[in-house]
Amino acid sequence: MDLTSYAEWAVRLVNDPDPPPELRPLRAELAAAFDEADDERAVAARLNALLVRYPVRPQLTDHDGAGWHLHLAEDSAAGAVMGLAAVVAELGADRLGRCQEQRCGKAFLDTSSNRSRRYCSSRCASRANVAAFRARRRNGS
């Protein structure tokens, strides 16, 4: 079972400015996991507590002619928590990132081979690079 899509759902939830009311508490807790990504034990403790509150129920499905495979049950909260927990277990909490573009701050998963991602999108990376270039020009560097 590839849990990456579930982890991406967690990222989308964290970045959603207006999630459904029933997901707002979960959004805040998942956002906190991204904020404390430099403290792997704190992230693990938070995700463990969420895994207790949102238990995962896998199901066999054969939709779209894909043959039998596992999906997490239709509980989107449990899927988001499990996906994020799987990323931390497989890759480490330092793969949870916040965009470094000063006006953004969105969450992202760093799946780069050298753990070097700093921005949520190429748009934010370009915006930050242009701002740095203009600052250097202003300062005469």
Side-chain angles (χ1 to χ4, degrees):
M1 176 187 302
D2 177 21
L3 295 173
T4 306
S5 62
Y6 293 103
E8 290 293 343
W9 160 239
V11 170
R12 287 192 305 276
L13 178 59
V14 169
N15 291 335
D16 186 347
D18 190 29
E22 69 274 10
L23 293 177
R24 284 190 180 143
L26 175 61
R27 177 190 181 270
E29 291 201 66
L30 292 176
F34 280 87
D35 294 338
E36 59 197 14
D38 58 338
D39 184 349
E40 201 161 71
R41 289 200 179 276
V43 172
R46 180 175 303 279
L47 291 174
N48 280 333
L50 289 172
L51 286 167
V52 170
R53 269 190 273 152
Y54 301 98
V56 177
R57 293 179 311 278
Q59 293 179 328
L60 279 170
T61 183
D62 67 344
H63 66 87
D64 301 330
W68 290 106
H69 58 281
L70 285 172
H71 273 258
L72 299 182
E74 294 302 313
D75 181 352
S76 58
V81 172
M82 183 63 191
L84 213 51
V87 166
V88 170
E90 294 280 322
L91 303 173
D94 61 342
R95 295 302 185 121
L96 308 182
R98 287 288 192 171
C99 186
Q100 298 299 300
E101 203 281 321
Q102 66 186 119
R103 293 175 291 173
C104 183
K106 286 185 177 178
F108 65 85
L109 296 176
D110 182 358
T111 57
S112 65
S113 60
N114 60 357
R115 300 173 189 246
S116 62
R117 187 168 172 187
R118 298 183 319 148
Y119 304 102
C120 68
S121 66
S122 57
R123 180 179 180 197
C124 279
S126 293
R127 195 181 303 156
N129 289 333
V130 167
F133 172 76
R134 289 180 179 159
R136 284 192 303 273
R137 282 186 53 194
R138 267 194 313 274
N139 295 332
S141 302

